[in-house]
Amino acid sequence: MMILYHAPRSRSSTIVALIHELGATDRVEIRPVTIPRQDGSGGRDPLNPHPEGKVPYLVTPTGPVRERGAIVLSLCEAFPEAGLAPGPGEEGRGEFLSWLFYYQGVIEPVLVGQVMGVDHPVFRATFRGPAEMAETLQAALEKGPYLMGERFTAADLLVFSPFGWFPQIMPDVPVIRDWVARVMARPSLQKVAEWDEQLIAG
């Protein structure tokens, strides 16, 4: 059985939602752990095997996986029957992989830079800026309700996540806002939000 190390109200909440979407809650054990929080609360959990004490961290029979994009791909490949990702050789595979890597390689750096107030030609040349990121998302979402048109995929869960939890950084673009609301309303995310609250309450 796979094991996912999870901290409530964290970057791993999206992965727990993915496990629900995959119908794999009986095949992936979810182990709650503590993590250091930016407000000074929490702390590194000795039961968490992540080398940096972070979440999410997925332990599989073939070895551990870290970084959310890699975990999303690993879970989708482990449970292909859910249809949340195009498989190898299937139409749309390249587009799906591109969104996972675009999230890790562009969206996260751009959003972190935005929050920190970083604006430098080298940064923009390397990662682009908020406007370019918004244009990329808008162009995709104008073709359908989800990043890959009519098909909801795990890429939607991953890419939407920072805007779902921190709406103040969401681009003020109607199709993006509608997409975020559409994904946020999925039952999987509602279940995880409720469970996270129970974990925090003890």
Side-chain angles (χ1 to χ4, degrees):
M1 177 178 272
M2 293 183 175
I3 301 171
L4 178 77
Y5 290 86
H6 163 63
R9 284 191 199 162
S10 76
R11 292 155 54 90
S12 60
S13 295
T14 306
I15 305 301
V16 178
L18 174 60
I19 291 170
H20 280 273
E21 292 278 356
L22 292 167
T25 54
D26 60 339
R27 291 170 287 175
V28 181
E29 179 186 350
I30 302 170
R31 292 186 184 176
V33 293
T34 60
I35 56 171
R37 304 282 182 170
Q38 290 188 11
D39 63 2
S41 64
R44 184 163 182 167
D45 195 322
L47 298 179
N48 182 2
H50 191 293
E52 300 167 14
K54 296 181 178 182
V55 293
Y57 192 67
L58 181 68
V59 177
T60 77
T62 57
V65 187
R66 55 179 176 173
E67 302 306 330
R68 288 205 297 167
I71 291 173
V72 166
L73 183 59
S74 296
L75 286 170
C76 287
E77 290 186 340
F79 306 105
E81 65 278 4
L84 286 182
E90 185 181 344
E91 183 179 353
R93 174 73 169 182
E95 183 182 2
F96 176 77
L97 294 177
S98 295
W99 279 117
L100 299 187
F101 284 85
Y102 184 78
Y103 174 79
Q104 299 275 177
V106 176
I107 293 179
E108 277 206 349
V110 166
L111 292 178
V112 171
Q114 181 180 344
V115 170
M116 295 175 61
V118 174
D119 188 10
H120 190 280
V122 174
F123 185 92
R124 284 182 173 270
T126 304
F127 300 112
R128 308 165 192 79
E132 292 87 351
M133 177 198 70
E135 289 171 3
T136 298
L137 292 173
Q138 181 177 357
L141 293 168
E142 284 178 344
K143 299 175 184 177
Y146 300 108
L147 293 175
M148 295 182 62
E150 295 295 327
R151 181 178 181 179
F152 172 80
T153 71
D156 290 288
L157 271 179
L158 179 64
V159 176
F160 119 97
S161 59
F163 311 120
W165 305 122
F166 303 101
Q168 65 271 23
I169 63 174
M170 189 190 320
D172 190 16
V173 178
V175 292
I176 295 177
R177 290 188 173 277
D178 290 347
W179 164 67
V180 169
R182 194 176 299 118
V183 178
M184 196 72 184
R186 293 187 72 84
S188 63
L189 285 158
Q190 303 306 312
K191 289 178 183 177
V192 173
E194 292 172 4
W195 189 48
D196 276 356
E197 292 304 315
Q198 293 173 8
L199 289 174
I200 290 171

